[in-house]
Each structure stands twice: as structure tokens, then as C-alpha cells.
């Protein structure tokens, strides 16, 4: 079983109205927890499947295949060639409709949010407000609702003025859609990431993930205009050459990448081809220049790191690097 039942249901619910769980996926989860979902009407068993997708192997290009029950076995029959028939396990013809409303209520209750969830717009629900911080939690199941330009206004209309808002989104949302929500001041994260997992009760959201982590103070700031670098609060003026080297390495590191020797060469010399050692010399110069600004215990070579055969990295987390004009 690679995925928990809550995650599986949440992921399948992203299909919007008519979302269903197929027996093949459900089967590893059959048991008490699954029966509970049936009893609570989060899942409702549908009539057994009567057709099956066309077979991949037959040359005749058959269409959807009828499922016949033969000697107590289910067989998807190829009208063209019985050698292509597929014998199905009993669970494979089963499927379960997912009731998004019931799922949403279950998640809100498991998370300990007081009140009853309600729909903000088709496919998006206000789950409630966290008891500790009063944050409004919105769960968007349907990607169509996540892409709705009016979502911000619809959520604002339902949350008290000034109330912090977290929006849990279906997977695969476009950056621009996420951006619209974060620009509005909402904390927006994928719903699948917010499920507490094995640690918490099933279907509960992880309280910590619902709260945004405060932005951290940058440890490395590159100031292009002043040609200086601020390291752990200490400012160092750099020569043009050293600044270009620092900027190239920091820009790559801020994208979690490694600056190649070629990147540095290009920053310093354009497309002129130069001796390999010039880059190594330039990096060594930079290390010497910044050494006095580094806190005790951080050696220059630990801060501007050489990655053999790849290039250079910075010994600081990517989100702690800022590049100013
Ligand atoms: Zn066929």
C-alpha cells in the first residue's frame, strides 16, 4: 500500500462531481476503516462495472468490452479475439462514488474544527476556523474552483474581516493560480501536503502546515548597485570581478543549483575562451575577500564550496539568499 486511504480519497476527489474510487485501488484498503467510510456515506458502492476498456493487444481495434460473468468469474470479452479476454478479480468490477460533502465534513471533524463546513463555490468548502489562531481553512477539491479568478473574493466574503486564511489546493495547480491566492495574503498549500499522515488521526489536517512559517531573514544579500555582499549582517565591498563571481554563485544557489565553471567564465569573460585556472583563481580571491565577514566556525571553503566536476555552491539554504538590484 503506497498511499494512505485519506490521501487516495483526496486525490480522487479532485476529479470533481462524479469522483469515484475503483476497486483495484480500494482493495488494499478494504477493512474496518473502509467499512466505516461506507457506513458514513463518504463512499457509496456503485453497480458493478458492465464494460471494460478496449484491450491493448488485439489488432482488430475493438471498442469497450462487455463484462460477462462466466462460471462465477468476470471476463472482459474481446469481440474480435477471445485470446485477448481479460479475467477480472471480483474487486476489479467494484467501484465507489465519493461524496465530497461527506469527505469534507470528515476532514473538518477529524481536524477539530468547530462548526459545519459549507460550500464557498462549487468544489470549494469553508472547513471552519482553527480554535487556536482563528484562521479560516478553505479546502478546494475541484481544480476548476482553484482556477476561478473569483475564488479570492468568494472566500473573503465568507471569512470575517482581517481573518487569516489558508487555502488547501488540489495537486497540479498552475503557478499563476497559486500566486493569485498568495498575493491576496492567503496561505496556499497543496491539500495532500496538509494531511497529517500516520502521526495524527486519519483524515486530520496537520495543524502546523495550516499556519504559514514566517519569512526567514536572509543570511546572504547581494547588492548589485553597491557592489557589496552582506554576510550574516556584515557588509563587504567587493571588486567588480569578485562581485560577478559572488553574484553568479549566489544566483545559482538561490535556485538550488550549482554554478558551473562555465557560468562564472561567462560572467567574467563573456564568450572568450580562457584558461580554466582563471575561474579557480577568481573563486579563491572571493573566498579571501569574504573570509573576515564569516562567523566563527565557517571556513571560506565551506561557505563557497567547490563541487568537483560540477562547479560551486553556497553553504547556506537557498531561501536565505537574496539578490538586490
Ligand atoms: Zn480486442
Amino acid at each position: 500500500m503506497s498511499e494512505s486511504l485519506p490521501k487516495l480519497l483526496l486525490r480522487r476527489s479532485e476529479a470533481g462531481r462524479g469522483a469515484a474510487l475503483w476497486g483495484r485501488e480500494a482493495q488494499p484498503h478494504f477493512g474496518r476503516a473502509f467499512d466505516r467510510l461506507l457506513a458514513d456515506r463518504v463512499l457509496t458502492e456503485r453497480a458493478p462495472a458492465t464494460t471494460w476498456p478496449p484491450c491493448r493487444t488485439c489488432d482488430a481495434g475493438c471498442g469497450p468490452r462487455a463484462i460477462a460473468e462466466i462460471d462465477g468469474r468476470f471476463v472482459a470479452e474481446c469481440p474480435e479475439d477471445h485470446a485477448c479476454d481479460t479475467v477480472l478479480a471480483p474487486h476489479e468490477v467494484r467501484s465507489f462514488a465519493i461524496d465530497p460533502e461527506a469527505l469534507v465534513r470528515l476532514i473538518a471533524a477529524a481536524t477539530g474544527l468547530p462548526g459545519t463546513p459549507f460550500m464557498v463555490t462549487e468544489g470549494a468548502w469553508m472547513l471552519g476556523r482553527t480554535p487556536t489562531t482563528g484562521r479560516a481553512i478553505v479546502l478546494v477539491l475541484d481544480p476548476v474552483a482553484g482556477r476561478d479568478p473569483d475564488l479570492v473574493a468568494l472566500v473573503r466574503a465568507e471569512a470575517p474581516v482581517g481573518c487569516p486564511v489558508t487555502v488547501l489546493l488540489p495537486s497540479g495547480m498552475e503557478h499563476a493560480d497559486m500566486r493569485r491566492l498568495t498575493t491576496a495574503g492567503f496561505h496556499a498549500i497543496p491539500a495532500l501536503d496538509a494531511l497529517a499522515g500516520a502521526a495524527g488521526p486519519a483524515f486530520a489536517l496537520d495543524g502546523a502546515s495550516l499556519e504559514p512559517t514566517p519569512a526567514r531573514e536572509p543570511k546572504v544579500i547581494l547588492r548589485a548597485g553597491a557592489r557589496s555582499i552582506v554576510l550574516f549582517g556584515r557588509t563587504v565591498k567587493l571588486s567588480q570581478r569578485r562581485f560577478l563571481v559572488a553574484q553568479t554563485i549566489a544566483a545559482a544557489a538561490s535556485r538550488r543549483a550549482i554554478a558551473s565553471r562555465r557560468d562564472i567564465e561567462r560572467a567574467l569573460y563573456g564568450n572568450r575562451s580562457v584558461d580554466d585556472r582563471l575561474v579557480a583563481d577568481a573563486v579563491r580571491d572571493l573566498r579571501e575577500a569574504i573570509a573576515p565577514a564569516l562567523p566563527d566556525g565557517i571556513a571560506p571553503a565551506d561557505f563557497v564550496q567547490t563541487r568537483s566536476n560540477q562547479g560551486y555552491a553556497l553553504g547556506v539554504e537557498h531561501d536565505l539568499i537574496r539578490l538586490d538590484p
Side-chain angles (χ1 to χ4, degrees):
M1 214 184 296
S2 54
E3 192 176 33
S4 70
L5 185 53
K7 283 196 173 179
L8 177 60
L9 282 189
L10 204 53
R11 203 160 49 78
R12 282 286 165 249
S13 301
E14 293 171 2
R17 287 267 165 218
L21 187 64
W22 278 93
R24 192 194 296 249
E25 284 181 312
Q27 194 258 347
H29 301 282
F30 284 163
R32 277 176 58 190
F34 197 88
D35 293 342
R36 185 70 196 273
L37 293 174
L38 288 167
D40 290 345
R41 302 270 174 173
V42 176
L43 294 174
T44 306
E45 181 146 17
R46 306 191 300 186
T50 54
T51 59
W52 205 246
C55 50
R56 290 197 204 98
T57 46
C58 85
D59 301 327
C62 64
R65 294 174 289 170
I67 297 173
E69 204 178 332
I70 303 167
D71 298 334
R73 296 191 314 169
F74 295 97
V75 181
E77 291 184 306
C78 172
E80 312 295 338
D81 179 1
H82 277 296
C84 298
D85 286 355
T86 310
V87 178
L88 303 169
H91 68 258
E92 288 183 288
V93 298
R94 298 177 73 186
S95 67
F96 305 87
I98 304 170
D99 179 352
E101 311 257 11
L103 178 62
V104 161
R105 279 198 301 272
L106 179 61
I107 290 172
T111 309
L113 301 174
T116 307
F118 58 90
M119 201 183 270
V120 174
T121 182
E122 179 76 29
W125 285 264
M126 177 69 74
L127 294 187
R129 297 177 67 191
T130 58
T132 44
T133 58
R135 177 171 287 272
I137 310 298
V138 176
L139 174 59
V140 181
L141 289 182
D142 192 334
V144 174
R147 287 192 292 267
D148 185 349
D150 294 333
L151 183 62
V152 169
L154 290 164
V155 168
R156 283 254 179 266
E158 299 296 351
V161 177
C163 170
V165 175
T166 291
V167 181
L168 307 173
L169 291 164
S171 35
M173 294 294 299
E174 295 283 339
H175 190 72
D177 296 318
M178 297 281 276
R179 189 67 183 272
R180 191 163 43 232
L181 298 170
T182 52
T183 305
F186 296 170
H187 176 46
I189 55 166
L192 284 171
D193 292 354
L195 278 175
F203 291 96
L205 299 168
D206 169 33
S209 75
L210 299 179
E211 302 291 333
T213 41
R216 299 193 290 171
E217 283 294 307
K219 297 268 194 282
V220 177
I221 304 168
L222 275 284
R223 295 198 168 132
R227 222 163 64 199
S228 63
I229 183 168
V230 185
L231 292 170
F232 307 91
R234 291 184 194 170
T235 304
V236 183
K237 278 286 275 181
L238 295 172
S239 68
Q240 172 75 359
R241 188 168 95 126
R242 287 169 182 160
F243 184 81
L244 288 173
V245 175
Q247 192 180 38
T248 306
I249 298 174
S254 70
R255 302 188 307 265
R256 304 182 197 226
I258 289 173
S260 68
R261 282 185 195 88
R262 190 75 195 88
D263 292 337
I264 296 171
E265 206 175 283
R266 214 175 288 129
L268 292 178
Y269 306 106
N271 285 324
R272 257 190 312 143
S273 102
V274 295
D275 193 317
D276 275 359
R277 278 170 303 182
L278 286 177
V279 168
D281 287 349
V283 172
R284 195 167 45 243
D285 273 0
L286 172 65
R287 286 190 183 125
E288 272 171 28
I290 62 169
L294 291 173
D296 288 346
I298 302 183
D302 294 336
F303 185 70
V304 180
Q305 302 169 349
T306 304
R307 300 287 174 86
S308 51
N309 297 323
Q310 297 181 70
Y312 300 92
L314 278 195
V316 65
E317 287 162 85
H318 73 100
D319 60 335
L320 299 180
I321 300 167
R322 200 175 81 200
L323 296 135
D324 286 355

